[in-house]
Amino acid sequence: MHTRAPVVVGRDEELRVLERVLSDAVDRRGRTVFLVGEPGIGKTRLARFAAGAAFDRGMRVLRGRGSTIGPIVPFRPLAEALMSLLRAGDGPDLRELGPYQAVLGRLVPEWGVEEQPRQGHSVVVLAEAVLRLLALVGRDRPCLVVLEDLHDADAETLAVVDYLADNLDEVPAALLVTARADPGPTLDVVRLAAQREAGALLELRRLDEPRVRRLAALCLEVADDEVPGEVVDRLWADSAGNPFIVEEILHGLVNSGQLVRGPAGWQVLGELRIDVPTALVRAIAHRTDRLGPQGRELLSTAAVLGHRFPLSVLRRVTGMDDRGMLAHLHAGVAAQLVTPDEPVPDWYAFRHPLTAEALLAQLPPPHRAELSRRTADAVQELHPGLPGEWCALVASLRLDAGQHAEAGVLLAEAGRRALDDGAAGSAVRLLDHAHRLLASQVDVEIRADVLDSLLPALGEAGRFERAFALVDTLAELSAAGLPRVRRAELHTKLAQVANTAGRWTESAVHVDTARALLGPEPDDEHLARLDAVAALMTLHLKVPDRIATAEFLARRAADAAKRVPLPEVGCETWQLLGVLARDRDLGLATECFSRARELAEEHGLIIQRVWALLRQAGLEWLADGSATGLVEVHEEALRVGAISLAYNADCILGLDAVLRGEYDGAAEELARTVADTRRLQLKHLTLYGLMAQATAAAHQGRRAEMDAAIEAFDEVGGVGSQERPLCYGLARAFCALLEEDRAAAERDLARALAHEEETPTVYHLSGRHGLQLLLDALSGRLDQDAYRAATRPAAAGMRWNRVFGQLALAVLAGRAGREAEAAQAVRAARDAASIYPLARHLGLRLVAEAAVADGWGEPVAWLRPTEEFFHQAGHAAVAGACRALLRQAGATVPQRRTGSDQVPGELRERGVTVREFEVFRLLAGRLGNKAIATRLHISPRTVEKHVASLITKTGRSDREELSAFAAALGPAVRPW
């Protein structure tokens, strides 16, 4: 007789789906399958079939299981699956993963790199690292990842599974997940993924009676009709079609002698005695009874540990010697109860989770509690400090033993470790449990310690309301005698959470409360931490002198942090000081960033050091346009595994390429960066990338593309962000100027400056210190005194801003008759704009207008190359303006008849000329003759003639019908 059926019964459709998924993985079309059902329904059988089929196809199989010794330990199933690559010894060269190798060190410590900082990468970054690993592994051999029993999985593992399901489509890998059909987070993730077609959901149903007969026949090694009818009836009635229970009951009937094999086949002796619903427990109990009292106690202790168990702990708890213990385990293997856990030496596992559950169900509560207590003691003796998963395991054992205070302390420690590892969801779950367990404890300091860790965990997880609700708990602790200083520390943590949530007013309340509790002379440690929080908060409050106040607080925090010392706080505050100084003193900003870098190097703070280097490189880029430092920082960030920092540098380099007019290269890089940061949920970098894409479209006069990028920017959450002013001052305003719509450009600049007033910005290229000055000078709104005041901040000296600031000075000087000063200002502007072609030529087109009107400078010499630049770029409106200014200056202007390729074929066939097409495009916007004339720098009478000609050539009845036709042709004729 077979203990288990040699083939899978009643799952033909599921087997076909699994075969297709494996085939697709081999063809680089990765897919995910979710197997869901009750315990014993056959999930593991199908997973085993899939693994075997994958091996037959030459695929690599990576397997991990949840619900093990520590179900609340983050990433346990994933780590187990990936570690099989280490054991195989023929894994890929992980150096090809670049910075993602270091990220994977979070799951497999051996994969960490030297100088890898301890940092809490986002779970999405970790998921991306796993995805890239699977792509690398699959380059030589496609792989199947099997993650079993995820019904109790941690939130972080589920997040990675969800991410992989959404992004496997171009990876040579398949993902198979099994879970019970219990309501909860796992089932929610599975069903949502299936709804959006990110994975195939296979819900396993119970077998019908014919299939139960077939299963029994396979186990008994006979034909279906040779299974005694009464056996089939009892199996069907008592198992309810659950395959595992069918096999367990059948095994019990044979072992108990109720079902025997004779010359005439299988026969029933006497009456079948099976009590429902305890059939499974009785079957397993019968098999464990045959192992003797010591064997039964051994397996009961193992069941207390979980689905998997180490021999070292069993030895300590039971007091058995190695020979006796192994003899009992071998008997358990023979009885099909346990099996060696092959990947890990000296570990065993139950063949099915229900076996462990059935063993636990037989233990009287006092015995189970005592066994849990002894097992917890043994683990703590064997593993001092409870490293890794042992902390969570002992916490659960103490809970089972009824030792709630001890369990609460251990859960809190496990939660802190999860938070340090970036697993905020698991940290909240663990710390919240600890908080509840310790609610009745007299020791308020212990409860305060848990709260001290729970608050930042809730902030990291985005559960802000839950965090603020804990103010009541803080009040209880205060009433119970919690010391003033400890209360101040907790209010500081609440202020940090409020900062993370962007609730600045609420943060201010907690900051004020903490200050009152600390008194007039707090020690340096508390002063540094509180001032660092207060500085960031103040920067976002709408209060007088917020910049100066924030700087004062940050500097005081940095000084106090040096005295303690608190190097992390010092690094953060020196960088904030550098950002604040950037607007008025570039030298001071450089000094602040250097201080932050030196402090990070002195204390080995690797990530803080790269942040300081990035700030410094960004400042150099703003000051003189040099991107060399950004490239170096990008490489350094990749080396240490600082993924978000590398993308930060990518975003700035993308904008640099746009401003330099390298549009094709910028488009490719920005598209990749935006896609990656969206997938990694790095929202602030996605916003920056979308802003840069909008700027690229605007600087090419592509309004529709610009509008689409800004719409995407708003959808991501860009309203109210620091990047929003740039969408108007660096993107829209320039697009309007390329359309020769000065009024629209000024409206866009006004919106940019209004947004800056509402939201303090660390960016300085939205026009306040540059383009706005030039337009104000041209319109006469800017005089010399206002110019001096506007250019006093250091931001006016940044290279991009300097182009327009110097041109504004030239306009003012030329108008006042100071021609030498004006000429020098133009030379300075052209020098600054040497790397920015659009800024150079657009600036010269604008300043030439004033030079022609006021009679100074060399407008003709400026306008000829500028007109050629805009003509070649296809910006007809600006090129036409340049030609009109040349004529106004008395210069000869060659006729431009090129550009006919811009006229749609349908219109060319009707004889529409280039100039007529320019008028036709503007008709799409329902502009009048005067407005069109202004845009094209021709007379209204000429426009009227062109409109009449267009009506004739296009066969339209009147101007309204012609305008509708222009609008109907779409983007090809969209007005500039």
Side-chain angles (χ1 to χ4, degrees):
M1 171 188 169
H2 293 295
T3 303
R4 297 284 180 263
V7 298
V8 179
V9 175
R11 307 298 184 201
D12 295 345
E13 178 57 31
E14 288 83 356
L15 293 175
R16 282 193 290 270
V17 171
L18 290 172
E19 289 282 8
R20 286 198 301 270
V21 167
L22 295 176
S23 178
D24 286 345
V26 172
D27 293 336
R28 300 189 63 86
R29 298 193 304 273
R31 294 175 59 195
T32 300
V33 177
F34 300 104
L35 293 177
V36 174
E38 66 182 80
I41 201 66
K43 303 183 294 296
T44 298
R45 297 166 195 263
L46 286 171
R48 192 180 302 121
F49 165 83
F55 276 121
D56 292 342
R57 293 172 181 269
M59 298 174 69
R60 192 188 297 270
V61 178
L62 312 179
R63 303 187 71 161
R65 183 185 292 276
S67 302
T68 55
I69 65 168
I72 48 180
V73 175
F75 307 116
R76 177 66 182 80
L78 287 165
E80 182 180 340
L82 297 187
M83 282 181 181
S84 61
L85 288 172
L86 280 177
R87 293 189 293 271
D90 60 346
D93 184 356
L94 296 180
R95 290 175 296 182
E96 294 187 48
L97 292 175
Y100 288 95
Q101 176 186 351
V103 177
L104 288 171
R106 186 171 168 188
L107 297 179
V108 184
E110 290 88 338
W111 291 348
V113 297
E114 291 185 14
E115 298 185 50
Q116 169 65 10
R118 183 173 182 82
Q119 57 177 321
H121 281 296
S122 78
V123 174
V124 180
V125 172
L126 178 64
E128 176 71 10
V130 174
L131 183 70
R132 295 188 182 215
L133 174 65
L134 296 180
L136 180 60
V137 170
R139 188 187 301 168
D140 298 323
R141 290 173 59 191
C143 60
L144 168 67
V145 180
V146 181
L147 301 177
E148 295 190 69
D149 296 334
L150 293 197
H151 34 271
D152 288 326
D154 55 283
E156 288 72 30
T157 294
L158 293 179
V160 174
V161 167
D162 197 44
Y163 186 91
L164 293 176
D166 282 333
N167 295 285
L168 271 179
D169 51 324
E170 295 183 2
V171 177
L175 173 63
L176 175 60
V177 173
T178 75
R180 295 182 184 178
D182 302 334
T186 300
L187 195 59
D188 292 342
V189 168
V190 168
R191 293 201 183 284
L192 288 172
Q195 286 175 14
R196 63 178 185 271
E197 299 183 346
L201 172 57
L202 303 180
E203 298 187 76
L204 303 185
R205 307 300 180 189
R206 295 178 177 182
L207 303 181
D208 57 19
E209 186 173 2
R211 287 184 172 86
V212 168
R213 178 186 291 275
R214 178 64 182 152
L215 181 62
L218 288 168
C219 289
L220 296 174
E221 299 177 283
V222 296
D224 292 5
D225 58 3
E226 295 179 32
V227 181
E230 60 265 48
V231 171
V232 174
D233 291 341
R234 291 310 303 264
L235 289 176
W236 168 241
D238 296 341
S239 71
N242 184 297
F244 178 75
I245 297 178
V246 169
E247 292 173 340
E248 288 298 316
I249 294 175
L250 191 61
H251 189 85
L253 291 175
V254 173
N255 283 350
S256 65
Q258 297 182 70
L259 180 63
V260 297
R261 189 168 197 169
W266 290 97
Q267 295 179 335
V268 175
L269 298 182
E271 182 181 356
L272 294 178
R273 300 180 304 276
I274 306 174
D275 296 328
V276 181
T278 59
L280 176 62
V281 174
R282 287 178 177 272
I284 292 176
H286 180 74
R287 289 158 69 181
T288 54
D289 284 344
R290 298 180 64 187
L291 303 179
Q294 282 191 319
R296 185 183 182 88
E297 181 72 8
L298 181 72
L299 292 188
S300 296
T301 304
V304 166
L305 281 164
H307 176 68
R308 298 170 64 248
F309 48 91
L311 301 189
S312 59
V313 176
L314 290 184
R315 187 183 301 114
R316 180 64 62 96
V317 177
T318 62
M320 294 183 186
D321 58 29
D322 287 345
R323 177 177 295 182
M325 183 171 63
L326 289 174
H328 288 301
L329 284 172
H330 290 162
V333 171
Q336 298 288 310
L337 293 169
V338 298
T339 183
D341 195 22
E342 295 176 359
V344 186
D346 297 326
W347 281 68
Y348 278 70
F350 288 100
R351 289 187 64 88
H352 196 283
L354 283 177
T355 304
E357 294 175 20
L359 285 168
L360 290 176
Q362 299 173 65
L363 292 175
H367 185 194
R368 179 173 177 177
E370 173 62 17
L371 200 54
S372 296
R373 183 193 62 76
R374 287 166 43 208
T375 305
D377 291 342
V379 172
Q380 288 193 283
E381 291 170 8
L382 290 168
H383 302 282
L386 300 178
E389 301 172 5
W390 296 113
C391 187
L393 168 63
V394 175
S396 63
L397 290 171
R398 295 294 183 199
L399 273 176
D400 287 344
Q403 297 173 305
H404 291 176
E406 294 87 341
V409 172
L410 289 170
L411 285 170
E413 176 59 26
R416 293 185 191 101
R417 295 178 186 181
L419 185 60
D420 287 343
D421 202 31
S426 289
V428 167
R429 179 179 171 187
L430 291 160
L431 289 163
D432 207 23
H433 194 179
H435 175 67
R436 294 195 304 272
L437 283 174
L438 298 172
S440 60
Q441 297 301 309
V442 177
D443 191 338
V444 294
E445 287 284 1
I446 293 178
R447 295 177 62 193
D449 288 344
V450 174
L451 197 60
D452 189 76
S453 300
L454 179 56
L455 287 171
L458 290 166
E460 288 289 328
R463 296 178 59 181
F464 302 118
E465 296 305 326
R466 171 79 178 102
F468 298 134
L470 291 173
V471 171
D472 294 338
T473 301
L474 179 51
E476 293 175 14
L477 295 177
S478 301
L482 188 67
R484 268 188 317 107
V485 172
R486 196 73 182 92
R487 286 151 54 196
E489 292 171 348
L490 294 174
H491 278 288
T492 302
K493 288 290 178 70
L494 280 165
Q496 287 178 315
V497 173
N499 279 357
T500 303
R503 293 161 67 158
W504 313 110
T505 303
E506 202 157 346
S507 175
V509 171
H510 290 293
V511 165
D512 291 343
T513 303
R515 289 203 191 283
L517 289 167
L518 290 172
E521 297 182 2
D523 61 42
D524 285 333
E525 178 179 356
H526 294 97
L527 180 66
R529 295 187 187 280
L530 185 56
D531 278 352
V533 174
L536 182 60
M537 169 204 76
T538 303
L539 182 62
H540 291 83
L541 288 176
K542 295 181 179 180
V543 296
D545 301 323
R546 59 185 173 187
I547 302 297
T549 304
E551 184 173 8
F552 167 78
L553 291 168
R555 188 169 294 278
R556 192 168 70 176
D559 292 341
K562 180 179 180 180
R563 293 191 294 267
V564 176
L566 290 173
E568 296 93 341
V569 175
C571 283
E572 293 173 4
T573 49
W574 278 115
Q575 289 188 55
L576 178 58
L577 284 166
V579 171
L580 294 172
R582 199 161 58 184
D583 183 49
R584 68 181 191 282
D585 189 331
L586 298 183
L588 178 58
T590 299
E591 180 184 336
C592 292
F593 295 143
S594 296
R595 293 281 295 273
R597 176 182 53 78
E598 292 166 0
L599 190 58
E601 290 173 347
E602 179 184 350
H603 293 276
L605 304 174
I606 297 174
I607 293 298
Q608 291 283 9
R609 173 180 174 273
V610 181
W611 263 117
L613 290 172
L614 178 65
R615 305 278 194 197
Q616 181 64 53
L619 185 62
E620 292 170 359
W621 174 72
L622 286 170
D624 59 26
S626 172
T628 303
L630 288 169
V631 174
E632 293 173 353
V633 170
H634 180 267
E635 294 303 315
E636 179 68 6
L638 293 179
R639 188 182 72 81
V640 303
I643 305 297
S644 64
L645 280 170
Y647 279 117
N648 220 307
D650 279 338
C651 285
I652 304 173
L653 288 169
L655 182 60
D656 175 68
V658 171
L659 299 185
R660 290 173 181 266
E662 300 165 359
Y663 301 121
D664 291 342
E668 182 177 345
E669 286 303 309
L670 286 171
R672 176 187 61 81
T673 300
V674 168
D676 287 352
T677 55
R678 271 182 184 269
R679 195 167 64 248
L680 297 176
Q681 298 177 20
L682 300 173
K683 176 183 171 181
H684 65 293
L685 296 180
T686 301
L687 290 175
Y688 195 102
L690 289 169
M691 175 276 296
Q693 285 185 319
T695 301
H699 287 204
Q700 297 173 82
R702 299 175 177 175
R703 180 169 287 277
E705 291 180 24
M706 177 193 72
D707 288 341
I710 293 176
E711 182 178 355
F713 177 93
D714 290 344
E715 289 175 353
V716 172
V719 177
S721 68
Q722 294 191 1
E723 295 83 3
R724 189 166 183 78
L726 297 173
C727 290
Y728 289 92
L730 196 58
R732 287 192 184 280
F734 278 84
C735 190
L737 289 174
L738 290 176
E739 297 167 349
E740 281 295 307
D741 192 344
R742 189 96 42 99
E746 292 185 345
R747 287 194 299 272
D748 288 327
L749 280 169
R751 293 190 66 177
L753 301 189
H755 284 304
E756 283 190 358
E757 290 297 325
E758 293 175 3
T759 304
T761 181
V762 297
Y763 306 120
H764 304 284
L765 304 183
S766 54
R768 179 186 298 276
H769 304 289
L771 183 60
Q772 182 71 59
L773 298 178
L774 177 56
L775 295 187
D776 284 350
L778 290 170
S779 67
R781 294 189 297 267
L782 185 74
D783 59 23
Q784 196 68 41
D785 291 339
Y787 174 82
R788 280 193 290 268
T791 55
R792 195 170 294 123
M798 294 174 179
R799 186 162 185 169
W800 176 264
N801 291 334
R802 199 160 66 241
V803 175
F804 303 101
Q806 287 295 315
L807 291 175
L809 176 62
V811 171
L812 295 177
R815 189 174 294 155
R818 304 192 303 274
E819 293 192 27
E821 183 181 352
Q824 174 58 36
V826 171
R827 285 193 295 272
R830 296 179 72 176
D831 180 63
S834 60
I835 61 174
Y836 304 131
L838 179 68
R840 178 170 71 252
H841 290 295
L842 189 58
L844 289 174
R845 172 264 174 272
L846 293 169
V847 82
E849 181 179 301
V852 170
D854 297 332
W856 60 273
E858 303 175 82
V860 174
W862 303 334
L863 286 168
R864 289 200 185 281
T866 292
E867 188 274 339
E868 179 65 23
F869 171 83
F870 286 117
H871 173 72
Q872 293 297 332
H875 298 308
V878 192
C882 291
R883 290 194 292 273
L885 286 170
L886 283 167
R887 295 189 189 95
Q888 191 175 339
T892 58
V893 181
Q895 292 292 318
R896 291 288 193 184
R897 289 292 180 261
T898 58
S900 60
D901 57 329
Q902 298 180 27
V903 181
E906 178 182 352
L907 297 180
R908 284 201 306 271
E909 292 173 2
R910 296 170 182 262
V912 174
T913 67
V914 174
R915 176 58 85 182
E916 287 172 345
F917 179 63
E918 292 172 354
V919 173
F920 183 74
R921 294 176 72 179
L922 294 173
L923 285 170
R926 300 297 201 279
L927 297 181
N929 287 352
K930 186 175 181 181
I932 295 174
T934 301
R935 294 280 189 96
L936 300 180
H937 301 280
I938 57 179
S939 70
R941 177 62 178 164
T942 301
V943 173
E944 185 176 353
K945 290 180 179 179
H946 285 317
V947 171
S949 176
L950 284 165
I951 289 173
T952 299
K953 290 179 178 180
T954 60
R956 307 297 151 175
S957 59
D958 55 25
R959 183 191 183 101
E960 178 59 30
E961 189 174 342
L962 179 65
S963 298
F965 176 48
L969 282 184
V973 298
R974 177 120 354 137
W976 303 293

